[in-house]
Amino acid sequence: MLNLLKYPLAALALALLTACSGNEELPDIAADAGEQQMYQEAQRHLNNRNFDLAVRALQMLESRYPFGKHAEQAQLELIYAHYGAYEHEAAVEAADRFIRLHPQHPNVDYAYYMKGLAAYTGNEDVFARFLPTDITKRDTSNAKEAFAEFAQLVSRFPDSPYAADAKSRMVYLRNLLARHEINVANYYFRRGAYLAATNRGRYVVENFQRTPAVADGLAVMAQGYLILGMNDLANDAIDTLAMNYPDHPALNEQGEFDTVYTADGLQRSWVNKATFGLFDPPQPPQFDTRPMKF
């Protein structure tokens, strides 16, 4: 058995957990409680934002009265309760179950919306909620899933009261996914995988039109094609960049591409050359214009 006197941090953690659990009210639903009473108890926990207790109360209600008058509503509210308890996978499963059981329900659009919302926040953890992180550099599988779910909602239920919010989130997710591609391209530049970097930039330009990342996608293409010696393609990308985003930092005052790399290799400053590479080393390309507004 763990000696808590030897491990004060463990003792403190156990004390906090004990205190939290001691303050948590367990569902005091009698074995012979009626459906209405059980539903009101679940509503009380939802209103008090005691989502863990709400989940248990709603599950108990459904198990005792699977065909009662509150059964379908309880299944809908169970989705929200799971979501509120940060049980995102469980929320998605509950939404899938409701859609499967009640495809013609008048509120089935809510299930689709909550399914997207749960996927939307599915990769959040306790640290992400308190520490600043660049989510465009994290895994985007949840973002792609959420975009698909919101797109399905908007397509199937264009007049849904949740459609407008879903569209707004889709715009945000699309911008996020485009920026992620630019971050990957920057990584490939650092690794010397120039063709892979160029392809990422082209993918953004071709598939994420009207996103802020398109400007950096063109810059990635220009830089990549210059490195690869594909000057005609590089000039096309530079002309498009200069025409649409003349203030992009990759362009100088004359509208020329201020390249770091050419087909001959790194562009070295005179300081770097004079010191035989000891000072002012050239840095690999890095395109990120998020602080700017074109």
Side-chain angles (χ1 to χ4, degrees):
M1 184 176 180
L2 179 66
N3 187 343
L4 296 180
L5 295 178
K6 292 176 62 179
Y7 302 96
L9 289 178
L12 177 60
L14 181 60
L16 289 174
L17 289 174
T18 303
C20 292
S21 62
N23 291 331
E24 186 176 278
E25 180 185 354
L26 294 176
D28 50 354
I29 302 175
D32 58 348
E35 181 185 5
Q36 184 65 29
Q37 180 184 352
M38 296 182 68
Y39 182 72
Q40 290 176 349
E41 182 70 12
Q43 290 299 302
R44 183 172 68 86
H45 292 311
L46 284 173
N47 293 334
N48 292 333
R49 303 183 66 82
N50 292 328
F51 295 112
D52 290 333
L53 295 179
V55 166
R56 293 161 63 182
L58 290 167
Q59 289 175 336
M60 189 181 301
L61 171 62
E62 186 182 2
S63 66
R64 292 190 187 178
Y65 300 96
F67 304 106
K69 65 177 182 179
H70 295 296
E72 293 182 2
Q73 184 63 27
Q75 291 172 9
L76 268 179
E77 292 175 354
L78 183 60
I79 303 170
Y80 174 70
H82 279 305
Y83 176 79
Y86 294 101
E87 298 170 351
H88 298 121
E89 291 185 6
V92 171
E93 291 175 1
D96 275 333
R97 179 170 176 262
F98 186 89
I99 293 169
R100 186 176 65 255
L101 294 175
H102 314 289
Q104 303 302 321
H105 194 281
N107 294 324
V108 72
D109 58 330
Y110 175 78
Y112 279 102
Y113 174 71
M114 288 303 300
K115 187 179 176 183
L117 202 61
Y120 183 82
T121 55
N123 61 347
E124 288 186 357
D125 52 36
V126 65
F127 298 106
R129 294 198 296 273
F130 298 104
L131 299 177
T133 58
D134 186 352
I135 58 176
T136 66
K137 295 181 178 180
R138 302 175 65 179
D139 177 57
T140 59
S141 57
N142 288 95
K144 293 176 181 177
E145 180 183 351
F147 186 92
E149 297 297 345
F150 287 135
Q152 187 172 198
L153 166 65
V154 172
S155 175
R156 293 193 177 193
F157 308 97
D159 298 325
S160 168
Y162 310 106
D165 184 71
K167 290 178 182 178
S168 297
R169 294 180 186 275
M170 288 173 67
V171 171
Y172 168 80
L173 289 167
R174 195 163 179 268
N175 292 342
L176 183 154
L177 292 171
R179 177 53 53 186
H180 176 77
E181 294 296 321
I182 298 299
N183 287 332
V184 174
N186 289 334
Y187 169 79
Y188 282 145
F189 274 133
R190 293 194 299 271
R191 301 290 294 180
Y194 305 126
L195 179 59
T198 306
N199 288 337
R200 291 286 182 159
R202 189 178 66 208
Y203 183 79
V204 170
V205 172
E206 292 178 351
N207 296 279
F208 292 98
Q209 287 293 325
R210 298 186 300 277
T211 66
V214 168
D216 287 334
L218 288 166
V220 166
M221 290 173 63
Q223 180 65 90
Y225 286 135
L226 285 172
I227 297 173
L228 297 170
M230 301 177 180
N231 294 331
D232 290 342
L233 292 175
N235 290 332
D236 289 342
I238 293 170
D239 290 343
T240 305
L241 180 65
M243 181 182 298
N244 295 280
Y245 307 97
D247 296 327
H248 194 281
L251 301 172
N252 61 24
E253 294 180 357
Q254 289 73 41
E256 300 169 338
F257 194 77
D258 194 9
T259 182
V260 176
Y261 283 105
T262 66
D264 298 325
L266 288 168
Q267 293 287 89
R268 300 171 59 193
S269 68
W270 69 267
V271 174
N272 184 260
K273 294 177 181 178
T275 59
F276 301 98
L278 293 176
F279 296 100
D280 195 25
Q283 300 297 317
Q286 180 79 15
F287 300 103
D288 190 348
T289 55
R290 278 177 289 181
M292 298 184 62
K293 292 184 178 179
F294 294 111

